[in-house]
Structure formats: structure tokens, C-alpha cells
Amino acid sequence: MPPIVSIVGKSDSGKTTLLEKLVAEIHKRGYRVGTIKHDTHGFEIDHEGKDSWRHKKAGASGVVISSPAKVGVIKDTDEDKTLETLAAQYLSEMDIIFSEGYKRETKPKIEVFRKEMHRERLCQNDDNLIAMATDQHFDLSVPCYDINDIQGLADFVEQRFLKCSPKPSASLVLDGSYAPLKPFIEEMFINTVSGMVAALKGGAEARTIQISVTLPKER
């Protein structure tokens, strides 16, 4: 599982602008970056009349749109998926994932704060706060970066999450929900699967391995 860092802040604090610049800087340094945006109000990415819209309207629970340059997935869900589930299902091959929002999750958080927009910080006494991007001075135990110091913030993220010693990781998704693995189970999965895959063509060079198993309803 790649590291996940949440960019949080109150409305109109500039989260999206900062995230856009941070993603560009991290990507420029040669890393594969994924993002997850949380929308509490729901959203639509399909358009009425398009083939994929007609597939969905006809009753398909999942629709994949594929081209040589990109892939899109439209899939029904009956719950608000966790960051771990979304990362494991769709972004496991990334080097790092940034989320916008998800302030109630327990992932490391960078708060964006602008003094002309708000009086109080969002992350009060939040143990998961790791840095601030702000135009105001705060006396905190975490580093505070000028809101325009994207290179400094990128240096911090790179040193903390990307330049540490690489460690193999495995994730498990059961019926669409992330299932945490105990360390010895994770190690067993990695050793067993990577050992078998190494014997296949191209398996020894693979950086990510995805396996999906569908079991019959009655066993």
C-alpha cells in the first residue's frame, strides 16, 4: 500500500490549488502520484446519451471506459469507501497518494490555512497533523510552511514518505472493503505470491501484483 497523505482545511482555504501544485512538483521529481477527492454530496462523471451512460441506465452495476491513454470506472457502491479500500483497489501501483478532504480519517494530514478566510484551524489537537501550509505564524510542534512554498512542502513529503527505505507491502480487499493484514500474514502473502509470480514471464520485473479471486456463493 502506498503512503496516503490527506490535504485538509476548511472551505475556501485553498486545498485544491495547493494540492494541484504539490502533485505537479512531486510528479516532476519522478514519482507516480495518485489523488483521491472526497465529495460528500455525490457526483456525476458520465453524460446523458453517451454509450457508457446508456450501459449504466440499462442496469449495469459497473461500467469501464477504456482508451489507449486512460481508463475510467463507474461503479455502484452502497457505502462511503475508506481511503485504504480506494487505494488498494485503484491506486496500488502509485508511489504516493494524496487525498483532498477525509478530515475524519486517521491518515497523516497537512492542513491548509489562510488567515483572511478563517479564524481557527481545522485540526485542533489532531495527532495525525504532520504539517501546516499557511500565511500565518503558528507555534506548533509540526513544521509550518508558507502557503506558497511548494518546494519546501514537497521536500518534507519526499523525505518523510518517499526517500525512506522501500519495504514490500500487501493489501487485501474482501467484497469491496479493505481488510487489514497482520504483519506476519502480510509477509506470508508477499513471499508466497512473489515467489510464484517470479517464475512467470515478466514476473521477476513486476513492481505491483494484483490478484482477484471470486468464490461461488455456496461453498
Side-chain angles (χ1 to χ4, degrees), residues 21-208:
K21 294 177 180 178
L22 185 58
V23 166
E25 179 63 28
I26 296 293
H27 171 71
K28 187 172 71 175
R29 299 183 185 197
Y31 298 103
R32 298 171 298 176
V33 185
T35 66
I36 300 174
K37 163 68 178 179
H38 192 231
D39 190 335
T40 58
H41 305 293
F43 63 93
E44 289 292 340
I45 62 172
D46 211 359
H47 301 287
E48 185 172 351
K50 294 291 186 179
D51 292 347
S52 52
W53 179 89
R54 292 170 63 185
H55 297 175
K56 195 72 180 60
K57 191 72 174 177
S61 297
V63 176
V64 175
I65 310 168
S66 179
S67 77
K70 63 183 70 174
V71 172
V73 178
I74 305 167
K75 191 175 180 181
D76 290 343
T77 181
D78 55 4
E79 61 181 355
D80 197 359
K81 299 291 186 182
T82 66
L83 281 172
E84 289 94 345
T85 296
L86 294 170
Q89 284 187 308
Y90 304 115
L91 298 171
S92 61
E93 74 277 15
M94 299 294 126
D95 294 311
I96 191 168
I97 298 169
F98 292 107
S99 71
E100 183 178 343
Y102 289 95
K103 60 186 178 183
R104 293 184 177 85
E105 290 259 5
T106 57
K107 293 300 178 185
K109 298 183 180 76
I110 298 173
E111 180 175 347
V112 184
F113 181 91
R114 290 191 297 157
K115 60 184 178 182
E116 68 270 22
M117 299 304 300
H118 302 289
R119 293 185 178 181
E120 295 185 349
R121 295 183 292 113
L122 176 69
C123 296
Q124 299 286 348
N125 303 317
D126 190 330
D127 292 337
N128 301 300
L129 181 69
I130 59 169
M132 292 281 295
T134 179
D135 57 359
Q136 178 177 329
H137 173 73
F138 288 103
D139 185 13
L140 299 173
S141 60
V142 300
C144 293
Y145 294 89
D146 185 277
I147 200 167
N148 296 310
D149 184 12
I150 300 302
Q151 286 200 349
L153 190 58
D155 288 343
F156 169 76
V157 170
E158 186 177 32
Q159 289 295 328
R160 178 154 180 167
F161 297 101
L162 294 166
K163 283 198 170 180
C164 51
S165 299
K167 179 183 176 183
S169 63
S171 57
L172 178 64
V173 177
L174 299 177
D175 291 334
S177 295
Y178 174 78
L181 293 173
K182 293 183 178 180
F184 76 94
I185 296 292
E186 182 180 19
E187 183 178 1
M188 183 182 68
F189 275 13
I190 292 169
N191 293 338
T192 302
V193 173
S194 61
M196 291 188 296
V197 170
L200 304 176
K201 184 178 180 180
E205 294 79 29
R207 289 186 62 186
T208 61

Side-chain angles (χ1 to χ4, degrees), residues 5-19:
V5 180
S6 294
I7 307 300
V8 301
K10 295 185 178 181
S11 299
D12 300 319
S13 60
K15 298 187 297 294
T16 301
T17 299
L18 181 133
L19 179 55

